């Protein structure tokens, strides 16, 4: 049977995600971010709730991306996630994109010319951001056109790169309805951004989420819930440069700005530059919040839940992969667990996120 | 004219403090803790409010003890405070005590035998707490009897020690009414502890505080307002032993306990031992909260306010002492100011505590 991988955040899980799962084939394995997501913010509901939503809507197995994979720029995010999925034996990767290109050919181009392409990226002027450099690379070597704000498309290219030479079939699915960040309420599919924005609008949430009730009754958080902690960390940390990706320049800009702002977005606005994109600054603030230092990735894979089919598959790969189903005294991944401890401080109703938790089972 | 020093916290300022000021002579200089106090907690109202209360009730000059003097065990607290006051030219020290002894003679004993006495303290078994050791020292060398819980008396002895050989006259005043920590509401003088406890009881506060209105309309805080920050710091600090007085043992006990408690007092209870008294643990938690590392004391003295008489006196000592009346870009004391930044996070209504603030003036 085909084993399909899906890389996701489900922040929160909506009808577009269900559509994607419906169009994936065989055993559907999801590698999902934990409690912090790629754009550098806390997930609106915790990883267990989001895993449950996915399992109730077609996923067979949901595993957790370690913090240090989940909160990274597109390339590291994609390669970390593809690595986890390929260890779990996927033979194809399904993903949503704004532009269905021939990603397979693109992956082949990268497979052949990766050294030349990376050297080209290195050679570009340093006032370009990394995403800008990558776009130029794809334009030059694969003739890809970039129009507008198409983050899933950019992730798709990162997946193509990460899968290059690994024998994984790329299966892009055209995104339905609203664009990734669309705030439009008059559409047939709503984006996750728009669902986070209209989370209090019960009719809207009902219309666009298959598990709206679970979502609405779960403890929710946003950056606002961590603003005070972030300010406190920036004020008291004697050496912010010990945090991943924080250099002297960023550290001193943060220290100078922190007493003059009243929200995380204000801080992002003050610190972002052409080179330090807002997404990158948000990720840096997330590293600061959770105290992330340069870290190795865990060797084992943490399972959040499975269907019966998923459980059978897990058994078949158990010999070659170290699977963690229940985190006890011995940690799975210190950084992810520390991040989860911080996540829990954002809302007193959040449950313990790791110790003693067992995978969610659905039929 | 006599210049009298008073060492105080005024947490909050009550009628007993007014009584003490009334019984002091000449120019009355108060060396007051800033926003964190000796027992290891945030002051209930900020240093400016407390300075104003003192100035409106007889103090001529209020200067701030740096954090690293204010949040210390009795001996360091006393010697740091006496040092500040002696630089400001005091010739006598007035203080409240539960037992009016001949402190002057006691100071003379210490003056003569300090080496022998400190060697004796060193020789005592290490399972005794430092306060216990000090009590044994006074019993043996000065024949002092200790009965019950008499913290002001113990501070009095620390003042005697700190003043020994400095030519400062000790002027103990019998404490009126309730004991230091008394919770009794049916007394003529209420303790600061009891006022903090009954802070919502407007009649009680009116009866025992000369500035009850100012107190009641000022932003107040307690450890509760910093509990989340403290938990967060303990969870995320990669090396708690870098904090002053935190050793491996305390650090690991804190890390183990922090996820099982729901208040600072619970944490204190879990971590305190015979050797680590509760007061010491509270101070350690305060060091952790504000990120205090071993620190030198500032050379200059920060003025919080003065009367006309106090201002004249300040002018007379200005040549020999470095006085800071207004903190600008150049810090007065980094640690105190960092502690104040953290203090401010406890209540959004708290004003900026340092930058640009000028001394309070009363007639």
């Amino acid at each position: 049977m085909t084993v399909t991988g899906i890389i996701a955040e489900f922040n929160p899980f909506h009808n577009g995600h269900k559509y994607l799962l419906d169009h994936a084939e065989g055993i559907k394995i999801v590698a999902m971010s934990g409690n912090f997501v790629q754009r550098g913010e806390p997930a609106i509901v915790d990883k267990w709730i989001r895993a449950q939503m996915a399992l109730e809507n077609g996923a067979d197995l949901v595993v957790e991306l370690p913090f240090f994979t989940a909160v990274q720029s597109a390339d590291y995010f994609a390669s970390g996630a593809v690595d986890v999925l390929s260890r779990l034996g996927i033979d194809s990767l399904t993903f949503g994109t704004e532009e269905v290109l021939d990603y397979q050919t693109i992956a082949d181009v990268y497979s052949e010319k990766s050294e030349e392409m990376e050297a080209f990226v290195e050679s570009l002027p340093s006032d370009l951001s990394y995403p800008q450099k990558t776009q130029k690379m794809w334009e030059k070597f694969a003739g890809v056109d970039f129009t507008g704000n198409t983050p899933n498309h950019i992730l798709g290219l990162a997946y193509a790169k990460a899968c290059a030479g690994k024998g994984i079939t790329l299966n892009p699915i055209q995104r339905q309805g609203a664009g990734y960040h669309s705030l439009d309420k008059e559409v047939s599919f709503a984006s996750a951004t728009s669902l986070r924005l209209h989370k209090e609008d019960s009719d809207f949430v009902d219309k666009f989420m298959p598990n709206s009730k679970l979502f609405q009754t779960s403890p929710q958080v946003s950056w606002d819930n961590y603003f005070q902690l972030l300010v406190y960390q920036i004020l008291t940390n004697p050496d912010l440069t010990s945090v991943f990706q924080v250099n002297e320049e960023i550290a001193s800009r943060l220290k100078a700005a922190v007493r003059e702002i009243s929200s995380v977005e204000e801080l992002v606005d003050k610190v972002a530059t052409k080179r330090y994109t807002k997404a990158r600054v948000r990720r840096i603030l997330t590293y600061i919040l959770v105290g992330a230092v340069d870290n190795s990735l865990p060797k084992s894979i943490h399972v959040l839940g499975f269907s019966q089919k998923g459980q059978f598959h897990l058994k078949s790969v158990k010999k070659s992969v170290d699977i963690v189903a229940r985190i006890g005294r011995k940690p799975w991944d210190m950084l992810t667990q520390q991040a989860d401890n911080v996540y829990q401080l954002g809302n007193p109703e959040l449950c313990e996120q790791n110790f003693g938790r067992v995978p969610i089972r659905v039929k």
Side-chain angles (χ1 to χ4, degrees), chain A:
Chain A
M1 194 190 280
T2 301
V3 183
T4 297
I6 289 170
I7 298 166
E9 303 199 309
F10 299 152
N11 185 34
F13 191 93
H14 56 60
N15 292 343
H17 297 130
K18 183 168 164 48
Y19 178 90
L20 190 72
L21 281 167
D22 288 345
H23 285 73
E25 282 177 15
I27 298 167
K28 299 162 192 178
I29 305 182
V30 176
M32 189 186 79
S33 303
N35 286 325
F36 291 89
V37 297
Q38 202 249 335
R39 66 201 302 261
E41 65 179 37
I44 188 165
V45 292
D46 77 30
K47 59 192 183 187
W48 299 97
I49 304 289
R50 282 151 48 233
Q52 185 176 340
M53 289 170 171
L55 290 163
E56 287 175 359
N57 289 282
D60 291 306
L61 174 59
V62 181
V63 299
E64 180 177 5
L65 294 176
F67 177 91
F68 215 58
T69 293
V71 186
Q72 285 278 12
S73 58
D75 278 355
Y76 288 97
F77 175 79
S79 79
V82 166
D83 179 61
V84 166
L85 288 170
S86 76
R87 281 151 70 203
L88 290 170
I90 63 163
D91 41 41
S92 93
L93 185 77
T94 292
F95 56 94
T97 178
E98 290 87 0
E99 308 205 14
V100 176
L101 306 178
D102 185 353
Y103 285 95
Q104 202 65 53
T105 305
I106 289 172
D108 293 345
V109 167
Y110 188 79
S111 229
E112 260 172 54
K113 304 190 183 171
S114 62
E115 275 186 35
E116 197 183 334
M117 288 165 82
E118 293 301 339
F120 171 76
V121 166
E122 283 293 313
S123 74
L124 291 171
S126 68
D127 64 332
L128 291 180
S129 69
Y130 187 73
Q132 288 171 322
K133 291 180 185 176
T134 314
Q135 288 195 11
K136 286 197 184 297
M137 177 192 85
W138 290 119
E139 278 165 6
K140 183 177 162 79
F141 289 86
V144 179
D145 259 348
F146 289 90
T147 49
N149 185 17
T150 52
N152 280 291
H153 174 42
I154 289 166
L155 268 177
L157 291 166
Y159 297 152
K161 220 170 111 172
C163 289
K166 281 205 170 67
I168 296 170
T169 308
L170 293 165
N171 179 29
I173 306 266
Q174 177 70 50
R175 263 185 75 86
Q176 301 300 305
Y180 186 68
H181 292 310
S182 171
L183 309 180
D184 193 351
K185 286 172 82 169
E186 302 301 318
V187 289
S188 51
F189 286 86
S191 69
T193 302
S194 138
L195 279 159
R196 290 196 299 275
L197 192 71
H198 302 296
K199 62 189 183 217
E200 312 287 357
D201 179 344
S202 175
D203 290 344
F204 183 76
V205 170
D206 278 347
K207 190 171 161 198
F208 296 113
M209 286 182 71
N211 300 55
S212 59
K213 182 118 198 243
L214 177 59
F215 175 70
Q216 285 171 315
T217 54
S218 297
Q220 301 182 356
V221 294
S222 73
W223 253 125
D224 287 347
N225 302 90
Y226 303 91
F227 176 60
Q228 196 199 30
L229 297 180
L230 179 68
V231 169
Y232 171 68
Q233 184 68 259
I234 293 171
L235 286 173
T236 58
N237 193 315
D239 180 18
L240 280 176
T241 65
S242 66
V243 176
F244 182 61
Q245 288 204 342
V246 179
N247 58 22
E248 294 285 354
E249 181 200 341
I250 291 281
S252 75
R253 294 239 303 283
L254 286 171
K255 291 250 182 202
V258 73
R259 302 202 61 213
E260 292 163 12
I261 44 100
S262 55
S263 73
V264 174
E265 269 317 284
E266 273 182 50
L267 187 57
V268 171
D269 285 342
K270 275 199 184 270
V271 174
T273 59
K274 228 170 125 187
R275 210 168 120 227
Y276 283 93
T277 63
K278 288 190 182 190
R280 187 165 167 203
V281 172
R282 270 188 219 100
R283 279 193 292 270
I284 287 176
L285 295 178
T286 307
Y287 303 144
I288 291 173
L289 177 72
V290 308
V293 291
D294 204 344
N295 216 55
S296 58
L297 290 168
K299 294 207 169 38
S300 54
I301 294 174
H302 184 218
V303 175
L304 293 172
F306 40 68
S307 67
Q308 219 162 31
K309 214 159 69 170
Q311 192 174 16
F312 280 130
H313 180 74
L314 257 190
K315 279 183 184 153
S316 76
V317 297
K318 238 179 183 167
K319 277 182 193 158
S320 56
V321 196
D322 189 6
I323 300 290
V324 173
R326 184 179 177 284
I327 299 176
R329 285 273 160 227
K330 191 176 152 236
W332 161 57
D333 178 44
M334 287 295 279
L335 175 56
T336 303
Q337 291 176 230
Q338 173 159 314
D340 284 355
N341 290 344
V342 173
Y343 183 80
Q344 256 186 271
L345 296 177
N347 187 328
E349 291 181 17
L350 282 166
C351 302
E352 163 62 37
Q353 290 296 299
N354 293 300
F355 188 72
R357 293 288 296 258
V358 293
I360 294 161
R361 286 154 189 266
V362 295
K363 274 186 192 156

